[in-house]
PDB file of all heavy atoms in Angstrom:
ATOM      1  N   ALA A 172      14.211 -10.417 -19.009  1.00 94.00           N
ATOM      2  CA  ALA A 172      14.724  -9.680 -20.166  1.00 94.00           C
ATOM      3  C   ALA A 172      13.621  -9.470 -21.202  1.00 94.00           C
ATOM      4  O   ALA A 172      13.010 -10.424 -21.683  1.00 94.00           O
ATOM      5  CB  ALA A 172      15.888 -10.437 -20.803  1.00 94.00           C
ATOM      6  N   GLY A 173      13.341  -8.209 -21.495  1.00 93.00           N
ATOM      7  CA  GLY A 173      12.356  -7.861 -22.503  1.00 93.00           C
ATOM      8  C   GLY A 173      10.910  -7.947 -22.059  1.00 93.00           C
ATOM      9  O   GLY A 173      10.000  -7.570 -22.813  1.00 93.00           O
ATOM     10  N   ARG A 174      10.654  -8.432 -20.853  1.00 96.00           N
ATOM     11  CA  ARG A 174       9.284  -8.530 -20.360  1.00 96.00           C
ATOM     12  C   ARG A 174       8.709  -7.137 -20.115  1.00 96.00           C
ATOM     13  O   ARG A 174       9.416  -6.227 -19.673  1.00 96.00           O
ATOM     14  CB  ARG A 174       9.236  -9.333 -19.066  1.00 96.00           C
ATOM     15  CG  ARG A 174       9.658 -10.791 -19.227  1.00 96.00           C
ATOM     16  CD  ARG A 174       8.643 -11.567 -20.037  1.00 96.00           C
ATOM     17  NE  ARG A 174       8.749 -12.993 -19.787  1.00 96.00           N
ATOM     18  CZ  ARG A 174       7.887 -13.905 -20.220  1.00 96.00           C
ATOM     19  NH1 ARG A 174       6.845 -13.530 -20.924  1.00 96.00           N
ATOM     20  NH2 ARG A 174       8.076 -15.177 -19.957  1.00 96.00           N
ATOM     21  N   ARG A 175       7.420  -6.980 -20.355  1.00 97.00           N
ATOM     22  CA  ARG A 175       6.767  -5.668 -20.225  1.00 97.00           C
ATOM     23  C   ARG A 175       5.940  -5.635 -18.932  1.00 97.00           C
ATOM     24  O   ARG A 175       5.013  -6.431 -18.767  1.00 97.00           O
ATOM     25  CB  ARG A 175       5.890  -5.391 -21.442  1.00 97.00           C
ATOM     26  CG  ARG A 175       6.680  -5.367 -22.751  1.00 97.00           C
ATOM     27  CD  ARG A 175       5.795  -5.069 -23.957  1.00 97.00           C
ATOM     28  NE  ARG A 175       4.675  -5.991 -24.064  1.00 97.00           N
ATOM     29  CZ  ARG A 175       4.761  -7.217 -24.584  1.00 97.00           C
ATOM     30  NH1 ARG A 175       5.938  -7.665 -25.046  1.00 97.00           N
ATOM     31  NH2 ARG A 175       3.693  -7.999 -24.655  1.00 97.00           N
ATOM     32  N   VAL A 176       6.310  -4.696 -18.054  1.00 98.00           N
ATOM     33  CA  VAL A 176       5.664  -4.602 -16.740  1.00 98.00           C
ATOM     34  C   VAL A 176       5.083  -3.205 -16.568  1.00 98.00           C
ATOM     35  O   VAL A 176       5.795  -2.204 -16.707  1.00 98.00           O
ATOM     36  CB  VAL A 176       6.671  -4.903 -15.607  1.00 98.00           C
ATOM     37  CG1 VAL A 176       5.984  -4.804 -14.245  1.00 98.00           C
ATOM     38  CG2 VAL A 176       7.300  -6.282 -15.794  1.00 98.00           C
ATOM     39  N   LEU A 177       3.792  -3.145 -16.282  1.00 98.00           N
ATOM     40  CA  LEU A 177       3.101  -1.879 -16.030  1.00 98.00           C
ATOM     41  C   LEU A 177       2.995  -1.686 -14.520  1.00 98.00           C
ATOM     42  O   LEU A 177       2.412  -2.523 -13.823  1.00 98.00           O
ATOM     43  CB  LEU A 177       1.706  -1.904 -16.652  1.00 98.00           C
ATOM     44  CG  LEU A 177       0.877  -0.623 -16.529  1.00 98.00           C
ATOM     45  CD1 LEU A 177       1.466   0.473 -17.417  1.00 98.00           C
ATOM     46  CD2 LEU A 177      -0.584  -0.878 -16.897  1.00 98.00           C
ATOM     47  N   ILE A 178       3.555  -0.602 -14.010  1.00 98.00           N
ATOM     48  CA  ILE A 178       3.568  -0.346 -12.567  1.00 98.00           C
ATOM     49  C   ILE A 178       2.582   0.771 -12.261  1.00 98.00           C
ATOM     50  O   ILE A 178       2.769   1.917 -12.676  1.00 98.00           O
ATOM     51  CB  ILE A 178       4.981   0.024 -12.080  1.00 98.00           C
ATOM     52  CG1 ILE A 178       5.940  -1.147 -12.357  1.00 98.00           C
ATOM     53  CG2 ILE A 178       4.961   0.359 -10.595  1.00 98.00           C
ATOM     54  CD1 ILE A 178       7.363  -0.872 -11.959  1.00 98.00           C
ATOM     55  N   CYS A 179       1.534   0.437 -11.512  1.00 97.00           N
ATOM     56  CA  CYS A 179       0.448   1.380 -11.241  1.00 97.00           C
ATOM     57  C   CYS A 179       0.502   1.958  -9.833  1.00 97.00           C
ATOM     58  O   CYS A 179      -0.465   2.552  -9.367  1.00 97.00           O
ATOM     59  CB  CYS A 179      -0.898   0.695 -11.484  1.00 97.00           C
ATOM     60  SG  CYS A 179      -1.117   0.124 -13.184  1.00 97.00           S
ATOM     61  N   ARG A 180       1.608   1.790  -9.149  1.00 95.00           N
ATOM     62  CA  ARG A 180       1.766   2.316  -7.786  1.00 95.00           C
ATOM     63  C   ARG A 180       1.901   3.835  -7.822  1.00 95.00           C
ATOM     64  O   ARG A 180       2.299   4.412  -8.841  1.00 95.00           O
ATOM     65  CB  ARG A 180       3.008   1.738  -7.109  1.00 95.00           C
ATOM     66  CG  ARG A 180       3.022   0.240  -7.008  1.00 95.00           C
ATOM     67  CD  ARG A 180       4.197  -0.232  -6.169  1.00 95.00           C
ATOM     68  NE  ARG A 180       3.958  -0.017  -4.744  1.00 95.00           N
ATOM     69  CZ  ARG A 180       4.812  -0.328  -3.790  1.00 95.00           C
ATOM     70  NH1 ARG A 180       5.998  -0.842  -4.105  1.00 95.00           N
ATOM     71  NH2 ARG A 180       4.524  -0.146  -2.522  1.00 95.00           N
ATOM     72  N   PRO A 181       1.608   4.513  -6.716  1.00 93.00           N
ATOM     73  CA  PRO A 181       1.890   5.950  -6.640  1.00 93.00           C
ATOM     74  C   PRO A 181       3.382   6.199  -6.548  1.00 93.00           C
ATOM     75  O   PRO A 181       4.167   5.296  -6.249  1.00 93.00           O
ATOM     76  CB  PRO A 181       1.171   6.385  -5.353  1.00 93.00           C
ATOM     77  CG  PRO A 181       1.085   5.141  -4.526  1.00 93.00           C
ATOM     78  CD  PRO A 181       0.952   3.999  -5.499  1.00 93.00           C
ATOM     79  N   GLU A 182       3.768   7.443  -6.830  1.00 91.00           N
ATOM     80  CA  GLU A 182       5.157   7.834  -6.649  1.00 91.00           C
ATOM     81  C   GLU A 182       5.393   8.238  -5.193  1.00 91.00           C
ATOM     82  O   GLU A 182       4.485   8.710  -4.524  1.00 91.00           O
ATOM     83  CB  GLU A 182       5.502   9.014  -7.572  1.00 91.00           C
ATOM     84  CG  GLU A 182       5.498   8.665  -9.050  1.00 91.00           C
ATOM     85  CD  GLU A 182       6.713   7.830  -9.466  1.00 91.00           C
ATOM     86  OE1 GLU A 182       7.405   7.272  -8.596  1.00 91.00           O
ATOM     87  OE2 GLU A 182       6.947   7.738 -10.669  1.00 91.00           O
ATOM     88  N   PRO A 183       6.611   8.041  -4.662  1.00 89.00           N
ATOM     89  CA  PRO A 183       7.835   7.604  -5.339  1.00 89.00           C
ATOM     90  C   PRO A 183       8.009   6.086  -5.413  1.00 89.00           C
ATOM     91  O   PRO A 183       8.978   5.603  -5.965  1.00 89.00           O
ATOM     92  CB  PRO A 183       8.928   8.212  -4.465  1.00 89.00           C
ATOM     93  CG  PRO A 183       8.358   8.167  -3.081  1.00 89.00           C
ATOM     94  CD  PRO A 183       6.883   8.455  -3.242  1.00 89.00           C
ATOM     95  N   GLU A 184       7.035   5.350  -4.846  1.00 90.00           N
ATOM     96  CA  GLU A 184       7.173   3.889  -4.808  1.00 90.00           C
ATOM     97  C   GLU A 184       7.255   3.287  -6.211  1.00 90.00           C
ATOM     98  O   GLU A 184       7.953   2.292  -6.438  1.00 90.00           O
ATOM     99  CB  GLU A 184       6.006   3.278  -4.037  1.00 90.00           C
ATOM    100  CG  GLU A 184       5.993   3.601  -2.554  1.00 90.00           C
ATOM    101  CD  GLU A 184       5.229   4.868  -2.222  1.00 90.00           C
ATOM    102  OE1 GLU A 184       4.953   5.662  -3.158  1.00 90.00           O
ATOM    103  OE2 GLU A 184       4.897   5.069  -1.031  1.00 90.00           O
ATOM    104  N   ALA A 185       6.518   3.887  -7.183  1.00 95.00           N
ATOM    105  CA  ALA A 185       6.485   3.337  -8.539  1.00 95.00           C
ATOM    106  C   ALA A 185       7.867   3.354  -9.184  1.00 95.00           C
ATOM    107  O   ALA A 185       8.327   2.353  -9.736  1.00 95.00           O
ATOM    108  CB  ALA A 185       5.484   4.107  -9.393  1.00 95.00           C
ATOM    109  N   SER A 186       8.535   4.498  -9.112  1.00 96.00           N
ATOM    110  CA  SER A 186       9.852   4.610  -9.751  1.00 96.00           C
ATOM    111  C   SER A 186      10.885   3.748  -9.045  1.00 96.00           C
ATOM    112  O   SER A 186      11.783   3.186  -9.691  1.00 96.00           O
ATOM    113  CB  SER A 186      10.302   6.072  -9.772  1.00 96.00           C
ATOM    114  OG  SER A 186       9.508   6.821 -10.678  1.00 96.00           O
ATOM    115  N   ARG A 187      10.763   3.616  -7.731  1.00 93.00           N
ATOM    116  CA  ARG A 187      11.697   2.755  -6.994  1.00 93.00           C
ATOM    117  C   ARG A 187      11.543   1.301  -7.446  1.00 93.00           C
ATOM    118  O   ARG A 187      12.529   0.613  -7.705  1.00 93.00           O
ATOM    119  CB  ARG A 187      11.426   2.882  -5.499  1.00 93.00           C
ATOM    120  CG  ARG A 187      12.445   2.175  -4.603  1.00 93.00           C
ATOM    121  CD  ARG A 187      11.980   2.160  -3.175  1.00 93.00           C
ATOM    122  NE  ARG A 187      10.813   1.303  -3.015  1.00 93.00           N
ATOM    123  CZ  ARG A 187       9.837   1.538  -2.130  1.00 93.00           C
ATOM    124  NH1 ARG A 187       9.877   2.595  -1.345  1.00 93.00           N
ATOM    125  NH2 ARG A 187       8.814   0.699  -2.050  1.00 93.00           N
ATOM    126  N   LEU A 188      10.301   0.839  -7.569  1.00 95.00           N
ATOM    127  CA  LEU A 188      10.067  -0.521  -8.022  1.00 95.00           C
ATOM    128  C   LEU A 188      10.476  -0.680  -9.483  1.00 95.00           C
ATOM    129  O   LEU A 188      11.013  -1.723  -9.879  1.00 95.00           O
ATOM    130  CB  LEU A 188       8.594  -0.885  -7.843  1.00 95.00           C
ATOM    131  CG  LEU A 188       8.167  -2.289  -8.263  1.00 95.00           C
ATOM    132  CD1 LEU A 188       8.958  -3.355  -7.514  1.00 95.00           C
ATOM    133  CD2 LEU A 188       6.668  -2.481  -8.035  1.00 95.00           C
ATOM    134  N   ALA A 189      10.262   0.354 -10.276  1.00 97.00           N
ATOM    135  CA  ALA A 189      10.643   0.290 -11.694  1.00 97.00           C
ATOM    136  C   ALA A 189      12.141   0.043 -11.846  1.00 97.00           C
ATOM    137  O   ALA A 189      12.566  -0.725 -12.716  1.00 97.00           O
ATOM    138  CB  ALA A 189      10.245   1.586 -12.393  1.00 97.00           C
ATOM    139  N   ARG A 190      12.938   0.676 -11.013  1.00 96.00           N
ATOM    140  CA  ARG A 190      14.389   0.478 -11.097  1.00 96.00           C
ATOM    141  C   ARG A 190      14.753  -0.978 -10.812  1.00 96.00           C
ATOM    142  O   ARG A 190      15.669  -1.535 -11.436  1.00 96.00           O
ATOM    143  CB  ARG A 190      15.106   1.429 -10.135  1.00 96.00           C
ATOM    144  CG  ARG A 190      15.040   2.896 -10.577  1.00 96.00           C
ATOM    145  CD  ARG A 190      15.962   3.772  -9.750  1.00 96.00           C
ATOM    146  NE  ARG A 190      15.509   3.913  -8.368  1.00 96.00           N
ATOM    147  CZ  ARG A 190      14.660   4.871  -7.959  1.00 96.00           C
ATOM    148  NH1 ARG A 190      14.173   5.742  -8.826  1.00 96.00           N
ATOM    149  NH2 ARG A 190      14.321   4.956  -6.689  1.00 96.00           N
ATOM    150  N   GLN A 191      14.053  -1.616  -9.884  1.00 95.00           N
ATOM    151  CA  GLN A 191      14.313  -3.031  -9.592  1.00 95.00           C
ATOM    152  C   GLN A 191      13.980  -3.897 -10.801  1.00 95.00           C
ATOM    153  O   GLN A 191      14.728  -4.811 -11.158  1.00 95.00           O
ATOM    154  CB  GLN A 191      13.483  -3.466  -8.383  1.00 95.00           C
ATOM    155  CG  GLN A 191      13.925  -2.857  -7.063  1.00 95.00           C
ATOM    156  CD  GLN A 191      15.048  -3.625  -6.406  1.00 95.00           C
ATOM    157  OE1 GLN A 191      15.402  -4.713  -6.835  1.00 95.00           O
ATOM    158  NE2 GLN A 191      15.621  -3.068  -5.363  1.00 95.00           N
ATOM    159  N   PHE A 192      12.839  -3.639 -11.431  1.00 97.00           N
ATOM    160  CA  PHE A 192      12.460  -4.412 -12.610  1.00 97.00           C
ATOM    161  C   PHE A 192      13.434  -4.176 -13.762  1.00 97.00           C
ATOM    162  O   PHE A 192      13.827  -5.118 -14.462  1.00 97.00           O
ATOM    163  CB  PHE A 192      11.037  -4.063 -13.043  1.00 97.00           C
ATOM    164  CG  PHE A 192       9.972  -4.878 -12.382  1.00 97.00           C
ATOM    165  CD1 PHE A 192       9.171  -4.332 -11.395  1.00 97.00           C
ATOM    166  CD2 PHE A 192       9.767  -6.200 -12.742  1.00 97.00           C
ATOM    167  CE1 PHE A 192       8.180  -5.085 -10.774  1.00 97.00           C
ATOM    168  CE2 PHE A 192       8.783  -6.971 -12.133  1.00 97.00           C
ATOM    169  CZ  PHE A 192       7.992  -6.410 -11.143  1.00 97.00           C
ATOM    170  N   GLN A 193      13.845  -2.937 -13.952  1.00 96.00           N
ATOM    171  CA  GLN A 193      14.778  -2.629 -15.034  1.00 96.00           C
ATOM    172  C   GLN A 193      16.122  -3.304 -14.798  1.00 96.00           C
ATOM    173  O   GLN A 193      16.766  -3.768 -15.746  1.00 96.00           O
ATOM    174  CB  GLN A 193      14.935  -1.114 -15.159  1.00 96.00           C
ATOM    175  CG  GLN A 193      13.701  -0.439 -15.741  1.00 96.00           C
ATOM    176  CD  GLN A 193      13.677   1.061 -15.542  1.00 96.00           C
ATOM    177  OE1 GLN A 193      14.371   1.596 -14.657  1.00 96.00           O
ATOM    178  NE2 GLN A 193      12.897   1.772 -16.336  1.00 96.00           N
ATOM    179  N   SER A 194      16.544  -3.382 -13.541  1.00 94.00           N
ATOM    180  CA  SER A 194      17.801  -4.071 -13.230  1.00 94.00           C
ATOM    181  C   SER A 194      17.725  -5.555 -13.584  1.00 94.00           C
ATOM    182  O   SER A 194      18.747  -6.183 -13.852  1.00 94.00           O
ATOM    183  CB  SER A 194      18.142  -3.911 -11.740  1.00 94.00           C
ATOM    184  OG  SER A 194      18.396  -2.552 -11.430  1.00 94.00           O
ATOM    185  N   ALA A 195      16.499  -6.108 -13.568  1.00 94.00           N
ATOM    186  CA  ALA A 195      16.310  -7.512 -13.928  1.00 94.00           C
ATOM    187  C   ALA A 195      16.064  -7.693 -15.422  1.00 94.00           C
ATOM    188  O   ALA A 195      15.796  -8.807 -15.867  1.00 94.00           O
ATOM    189  CB  ALA A 195      15.143  -8.090 -13.141  1.00 94.00           C
ATOM    190  N   GLY A 196      16.129  -6.602 -16.195  1.00 95.00           N
ATOM    191  CA  GLY A 196      16.008  -6.688 -17.638  1.00 95.00           C
ATOM    192  C   GLY A 196      14.646  -6.369 -18.205  1.00 95.00           C
ATOM    193  O   GLY A 196      14.452  -6.425 -19.429  1.00 95.00           O
TER     194      GLY A 196
END
Side-chain angles (χ1 to χ4, degrees):
R174 296 291 201 171
R175 300 181 305 279
V176 180
L177 183 70
I178 299 178
C179 299
R180 302 187 76 180
E182 292 286 16
E184 293 90 345
S186 290
R187 187 189 68 213
L188 180 58
R190 290 190 291 271
Q191 291 275 351
F192 272 106
Q193 288 165 340
S194 295

